[in-house]
Amino acid sequence: MAAIGYSHMISVEMMGIVIIIYTLLNLKRFYQNKSLKYLIAAGLLAIGLLGRYFLAVGEQMATTIFQVTAQPLAFLSDRTLPFKDIVVNSLTNAVFHANTVNVGITILLGLGIACGLFYYSKNDRDLNGIALGLFIATTSIMPWHLLDHTIINTIQFPWRFFAIITAIVSYLVAKDECHLLKNKYYFYLLILLLGAGNVIYSTNSIQNQSWRFRTNAAYNTPNPYYIGAGHEYLPAQTDYQKILRHKKQVVKYQPHKIKITNVRHTWGRYQFDFRTLTDQKAVVEVPFIYYKGYVAELNHHQRLPMQMNKRTGLTQVALKGTGRITVYYRTTTIQRIGTVVSLLSFGMLIIIGSYDGITDKLFDIIHHKGAFYYGN
């Protein structure tokens, strides 16, 4: 879970929803076999391992309004299709696009088998229900508009749940509770189905999506937009298109208020000499998109407060007098605390993995201390 979080945090959000649903469906069983405490311990450990990420992002979100919430890239409610369209797209293995989203014919048939298992078998009924529920949730049947302005909308596209549906269906097919794969006719039929689906998808891709083809040279020099623009994580005041048009980064200031000389720009750092021409402070804008953590050092020892330009979303500093300024990014105290939390959690993970029964001992200690505190 922690590894998923460091690679794609939205996936952790989706997995968290699935885990909560699965836990609620099996709460009684978890309580009876005394495994609930292990689930809680695993959850806390995963949160601790992700502490370096959660605390850093939380600090930024608490101090800055980002476009991901102020100007959402997409609303979940706008990215759904009617149930019928998704079924038809899946049956025809349509090339995946915004208007042709689908789970594919193989997974769709797997869901059909899951429907049968849901009624005729008690085993894995919870997983069957989750897979079917998520499939319905990717359609316009789900009232996503009620969650458009909540944290859930950061998922952006409901069809991202197809990844979890695929994992569940793959598990159910591999488990083969109906013993279909043991029958050679069903087995070869499945292989034929997979092969036909691949041929259909490949043919449709060549015929209908030829405009997506790239030469080897073009592929090796991609447009940064296709790597991931990421502009939804810029401050709300930042004009992303303006940044694309003006790639030359310059220090901005009012020449009649301050004189700037010896400007040096290295990776992640600006340095310049200044002398104010009036008795008042002069504001200098450095072409760094503002995030909490940027610092300005005066003559390499005195730190000056950095602010965000409310019109551009860039970093600025107010100066008075003379001296040399160095602007760079420095990890904040919260970020350093998050790193320590993650390292301690990783150490705990190693200890738990090395010594059997240590989780039980920790819960026993917590239980006894709680009992002692309440006088029991």
Side-chain angles (χ1 to χ4, degrees), residues 174-205:
K175 190 176 181 181
D176 192 24
E177 189 170 335
C178 296
H179 306 294
L180 296 178
L181 297 181
K182 293 182 179 180
N183 185 306
K184 64 178 182 179
Y185 297 107
Y186 285 118
F187 178 79
Y188 289 121
L189 179 62
L190 178 61
I191 298 300
L192 179 63
L193 181 64
L194 290 173
N198 288 332
V199 171
I200 293 172
Y201 192 87
S202 300
T203 302
N204 288 338
S205 296

Side-chain angles (χ1 to χ4, degrees), residues 138-291:
T138 60
T139 71
S140 54
I141 297 175
M142 176 71 179
W144 285 116
H145 63 277
L146 298 176
L147 303 174
D148 276 347
H149 298 285
T150 67
I151 188 73
I152 301 298
N153 193 66
T154 55
I155 296 174
Q156 299 175 329
F157 311 104
W159 42 259
R160 279 178 163 154
F161 285 109
F162 285 162
I164 297 175
I165 294 172
T166 300
I168 293 176
V169 171
S170 299
Y171 165 76
L172 295 175
V173 170
K175 190 176 181 181
D176 192 24
E177 189 170 335
C178 296
H179 306 294
L180 296 178
L181 297 181
K182 293 182 179 180
N183 185 306
K184 64 178 182 179
Y185 297 107
Y186 285 118
F187 178 79
Y188 289 121
L189 179 62
L190 178 61
I191 298 300
L192 179 63
L193 181 64
L194 290 173
N198 288 332
V199 171
I200 293 172
Y201 192 87
S202 300
T203 302
N204 288 338
S205 296
I206 295 172
Q207 292 179 347
N208 303 326
Q209 302 289 318
S210 58
W211 60 274
R212 292 179 179 270
F213 282 104
R214 296 288 183 271
T215 63
N216 185 64
Y219 182 80
N220 288 327
T221 56
N223 187 321
Y225 179 83
Y226 293 107
I227 298 175
H231 52 273
E232 63 264 38
Y233 303 111
L234 298 178
Q237 296 85 349
T238 306
D239 188 336
Y240 178 67
Q241 296 301 323
K242 186 176 181 179
I243 292 175
L244 289 180
R245 291 192 301 268
H246 301 86
K247 295 182 181 296
K248 188 176 181 180
Q249 298 177 326
V250 295
V251 176
K252 292 184 179 181
Y253 57 94
Q254 294 177 303
H256 65 280
K257 290 186 177 182
I258 187 171
K259 183 178 181 180
I260 301 292
T261 58
N262 301 324
V263 178
R264 295 179 58 193
H265 178 206
T266 57
W267 180 256
R269 183 181 295 259
Y270 264 94
Q271 190 175 78
F272 55 85
D273 297 324
F274 75 93
R275 178 169 61 86
T276 54
L277 305 178
T278 65
D279 293 334
Q280 298 179 341
K281 287 186 177 181
V283 175
V284 177
E285 181 183 271
V286 181
F288 285 144
I289 296 172
Y290 179 83
Y291 293 97

Side-chain angles (χ1 to χ4, degrees), residues 313-339:
L314 300 180
T315 302
Q316 63 183 24
V317 58
L319 302 174
K320 185 178 181 181
T322 61
R324 170 167 289 188
I325 287 292
T326 303
V327 178
Y328 63 97
Y329 191 86
R330 178 186 176 91
T331 56
T332 67
T333 301
I334 295 296
Q335 291 171 353
R336 290 192 288 272
I337 291 174
T339 300

